[in-house]
Amino acid sequence: MSASSGQWNFYIDRGGTFTDVVAQAPDGKLSTLKLLSESSHYNDAALEGVRRALGLDSRTAIPAHLIGEVRMGTTVATNALLTRSGEPVVLVTTRGFRDALRIGYQNRAKLFALKIELPDMLYAQVIEAEERMTAEGATLMQLDEAALARDLAAARAQGIAACAIVFLHGYRFPAHERRAAEIARGLGFTQISTSHEAVPLMKFVSRGDTTVADAYLSPVLARYTQKIAAALQGVRLTFMTSNGGLASPQFFRGKDAIVSGPAGGVVGMAETAREAGFEHVIGFDMGGTSTDVARFDGDYERIYETEVAGVRLRTPMLAIHTVAAGGGSILTFDGARFRAGPASAGADPGPMSYGKNGPLTVTDANVMVGKLDPRYFPMIFGPNGDAPLNAETVRTAFGELAARTGRSPEEVADGFIRIAVENMANAIRRISVAKGVDVRDYALNCFGGAGGQHACLVADALQMRTVFIHPFSGLLSAYGMKRAALRAVRQHAVGKLLRESEQALARTEAELRRMAEDELVAQGASVFASSVRVHIRYDGSDTTLPVAFGSTNEMADTFADIHARQFGFGFEGRPLIAESIEVEARSIENTPSPSRAPHNPVTAAPARGEESFVRFFSQGAWHQAPVVRADQLPAPRTVDGPALIVEPHQTIVVEPGWRAAFDPAQGTILTRIGERAGGAMQRGGVDPVLLEVFANLFMAIAEEMGVVLQNTATSVNIKERLDFSCAVFDAEGGLVANAPHMPVHLGSMGDCVTAIMAKHPDMRDGDVFVTNAPYDGGTHLPDITVVMP
């Protein structure tokens, strides 16, 4: 996996809007390139990036002998899922279960929608096979092979070439699935996904959805990887998977490609931070439409069940939380509250300052307050793509808003920035504080085109004192490909009491380790390491927590610690279940050299004339700030805020009370050196900024309550149907914020709260009141209301 001497190496993130390319020349120097992912001027952005780095035009064949390897992340599978443009699939399942995936868990994505619109199913047809196994492996009904062959032949005759096979209990007893796959293969199906291979774990619905998604997306992915491989014949080609590892094209499956590009960003975030000496880090990737956040504690955090575009996926993915807050988030004022997002201006027309009649956005707010200065931006805007940022239009628009609110235009823009910052800080709280992690002990690794403008403010909102910005922060997802390793993950269901499963776990671990290492060997790895995790849950619950494999007592103690830290309590004496075991093998041949800043010319325009200072408005006050180029910071290469640092792909705002230290190899480290600014500006009446900030904070609290309730529940009604509601009330029992949970409870919950308060006027912190009284706001007798002051 190491870079080949005397050859070029390419690390590419093919995103939905832009394709980022990091090219390593034969002498080891790195250069960067950003292209539109779709353009009439070339056939494929990734291949065009390779050609441009080699000095070739778009029609010239790529000389493969000049290239050592190409590593890519791609949104091809994600886009196919979002647009429902995958391969037509026939689903083969146990008779009686044809509608199980459509029924799902009965939860509704939009609880308050009067017109319920269920997502389209990925499969085009369903075949019910005559077969049935028990959960213990006994055969209730043999597979009717003749009938299945007849039905599959009819589907194949209609042009369907992809087949997903999901039988009840097939994850544990796969004989019928294997035989059905053989029949489908003999009839000419070119893509066959079986549930025991795709998801060898229990839970029929998520296992079935994942298997169907794999059959639906893998052919689309294969066509794209084959096109790239054909243009790079003989070049070592690997792709980033959702679990943060690389895979050769033949091992790159649809179910593992959903967050391929963002996974590269998490790897880049983690590895660059570790190189800079930070072991505990929060990744903060702020783009134009959204912000992605992730956490790294020396090992990658993964999720094992999620939903994307209405499809339940049960496959290991890096834990990435996305919030609709980016530079393009649209700013609105409804007469009472300022709002930032969730709607976005996108790339076209983009923010108002882009000169294409776009709406006001967070980017425009930064232009208004002076944190983004058109003099330090490339002239690529306007209808013809040759104009600077249009600050005058932005000032006019904010002036109109200011007239409606009695504030100055700068105060209005600063208020919108504060709201966007709090939204992003709440997203970070979801992956840290909500899981029992003290985020103040972490460094904030900031990347993405808009991250540098808000890094200090987000850190202040979270009481973090360190921000790290790598030289490749604008293209960190592509750079993450360079730092990634081959990875293979194998899982197996156990489903036994932990205290009785030690020998079974040891046997299964050895077998899974062999399978994972064999997969790496098949991809060219020769030296690798592995880790083993056991997913454990309390008996009666189905929320598992991954624990490092060890003795039974060690795993039980570790599980208790993790559960108490994440949920605040444990069930003392309740038996533990070893739900499944997971082995991850990774190559360790890749020994990357320390990163060096790209040698590209700086795209930001230098300061004109004698001007080297700007005025920007932040946190209610004007500040005189020097403007410095990152490569021209004076010795000892530090600058105290307020200041603007202009880098090739972004502007870093050093807020008052912060100090920036620059290292050309490692990047910029921002450190809090002064006390944080005080509260918001004091005004009479209702503050539209604080109204939105606190509304979002209270909503985040209610949502976190729901997450904990769902994760610790033993009731299927709560766990899967989401039949619960959480809300925050004021001291008089008035509703302050309710999360988007089951709305039927909310009309009566306030009556329960006021009734409890009337009967217990001496309520104290730590008290818990439980009621289902029908005369005091109760609905059905089985419904329980819990009230805590």
Side-chain angles (χ1 to χ4, degrees), residues 253-276:
R253 300 178 57 169
K255 71 180 182 67
D256 299 321
I258 301 302
V259 292
S260 174
V266 175
V267 174
M269 172 271 292
E271 298 304 324
T272 56
R274 182 150 49 187
E275 185 180 277

Side-chain angles (χ1 to χ4, degrees), residues 35 37 56 64 76 85 87 134 213 228 233 252 307 347 382 444 540 607 638 649 654 663 672 674 716 730-731 767 783:
L35 300 168
S37 293
L56 306 174
V76 168
S85 56
E87 190 82 357
T134 69
I228 299 298
Q233 290 188 10
F252 191 40
E307 184 171 317
L444 188 70
T638 63
H649 299 288
V654 186
D663 183 302
R672 174 45 99 167
V716 174
D730 64 18
D767 292 344
D783 285 354

